[in-house]
Amino acid sequence: MRRGRVELKRIENKINRQVTFAKRRNGLLKKAYELSVLCDAEVALIIFSNRGKLFEFCSGSSMVQTLEKYQKYSYSALEATQPVIDSQNSHQEYLKLKARVEVLQRSQRNLLGEDLGPLNSKELEQLENQLEASLRHIRSTKYQFMLDQLADLQKREQMLLEANKGLRRKLEENNAQIPLQLAWEAANFEEHNIPHNCLSLPPQTEGFFQPLPINSTTLQIGYNSLGSHEMNFGAPTQNMNGYIHGWML
């Protein structure tokens, strides 16, 4: 009696699903072993259950060597086809960039007022609105720049005013100290520069000595009230100031 054909769909019953998985897994592993023995083939089989449990079979010496061989063959074929794919992608990217550059150049010419013939009324209105928005943005940026520059200049002006006040205060202090310094210097000068004529002669009585003329050779001795005796001395005995020293009496 032949078995009925099993419909391939997920088994809803959990127990039946686990039983079926165990039976078919063992059968698959058995078939892989038979294929490797009968055909002298290198077979590697990896199975993960729905709980993540690993089941594997490898007819070779190591599963790692088999996987490395698989990667070598599969990725070498991929690398051989990769330059062609890269070339196609590069060409498509070039076409996209070229089209974008053309659009930007046409938009730039429109902003400069050129090539406006192909544009309709709606496109011209959009271009006008774009220019007005750009102009407002430029004016706003310019106004903000001027405000920043003005604030900077005001700050520099305040700094210069403060520096000017400090210099004026120092100048006033220096001007107040100049008279005192001049008076001190004058006092020092008078102390160190006494006139020589103040130290050359001692104080004398005005009535006893009489001044002599510069060109006179007559010497008068004594008081005028008691009489005078004229004596004639040589010119070298006269003093330059017209007085006679006390030691000559």
Side-chain angles (χ1 to χ4, degrees), residues 156-169:
R156 292 177 60 184
E157 181 185 6
Q158 187 66 25
M159 293 173 61
L160 292 175
L161 288 176
E162 294 294 334
N164 191 12
K165 289 180 180 179
L167 293 176
R168 181 177 296 176
R169 186 164 51 252

Side-chain angles (χ1 to χ4, degrees), residues 6-119:
V6 180
E7 184 179 3
L8 293 177
K9 66 177 184 179
R10 184 176 183 274
I11 299 175
E12 299 296 334
N13 192 305
K14 184 177 181 180
I15 298 175
N16 293 339
R17 187 166 62 245
Q18 291 178 354
V19 172
T20 302
F21 174 76
K23 288 181 179 181
R24 290 183 177 268
R25 180 198 64 204
N26 293 333
L28 185 58
L29 294 173
K30 181 180 179 181
K31 290 294 183 181
Y33 171 72
E34 292 175 353
L35 179 62
S36 64
V37 173
L38 294 176
C39 301
D40 193 18
E42 185 176 358
V43 180
L45 178 63
I46 300 174
I47 302 173
F48 288 97
S49 66
N50 59 350
R51 296 182 180 179
K53 189 175 181 180
L54 173 64
F55 301 92
E56 64 180 13
F57 168 78
C58 182
S59 61
S61 60
S62 174
M63 176 66 76
V64 177
Q65 293 179 358
T66 304
L67 292 177
E68 289 178 354
K69 186 183 292 186
Y70 167 76
Q71 290 179 356
K72 180 180 179 181
Y73 281 98
S74 61
Y75 286 105
S76 62
L78 182 62
E79 291 175 357
T81 57
Q82 190 68 28
V84 179
I85 298 175
D86 292 342
S87 178
Q88 293 177 356
N89 293 335
S90 299
H91 184 67
Q92 292 178 359
E93 188 70 19
Y94 165 73
L95 294 178
K96 290 180 181 179
L97 292 175
K98 183 179 179 180
R100 183 171 179 80
V101 168
E102 291 178 355
V103 171
L104 292 175
Q105 289 178 350
R106 184 169 60 253
S107 177
Q108 183 180 6
R109 289 194 298 269
N110 292 335
L111 290 174
L112 294 175
E114 301 175 356
D115 297 340
L116 300 179
L119 301 180

Side-chain angles (χ1 to χ4, degrees), residues 177-243:
Q177 294 177 358
I178 286 175
L180 298 177
Q181 185 176 3
L182 292 176
W184 181 77
E185 290 179 355
N188 290 338
F189 181 79
E190 290 177 356
E191 291 178 359
H192 293 85
N193 295 275
I194 300 175
H196 295 285
N197 54 5
C198 296
L199 300 177
S200 59
L201 295 176
Q204 299 174 0
T205 304
E206 294 181 357
F208 189 77
F209 295 103
Q210 295 295 330
L212 295 177
I214 298 302
N215 297 325
S216 176
T217 58
T218 303
L219 178 61
Q220 184 177 355
I221 301 173
Y223 293 97
N224 291 332
S225 59
L226 299 179
S228 60
H229 298 279
E230 295 181 357
M231 296 181 66
N232 189 5
F233 294 93
T237 60
Q238 295 179 3
N239 187 272
M240 294 301 295
N241 293 325
Y243 293 97

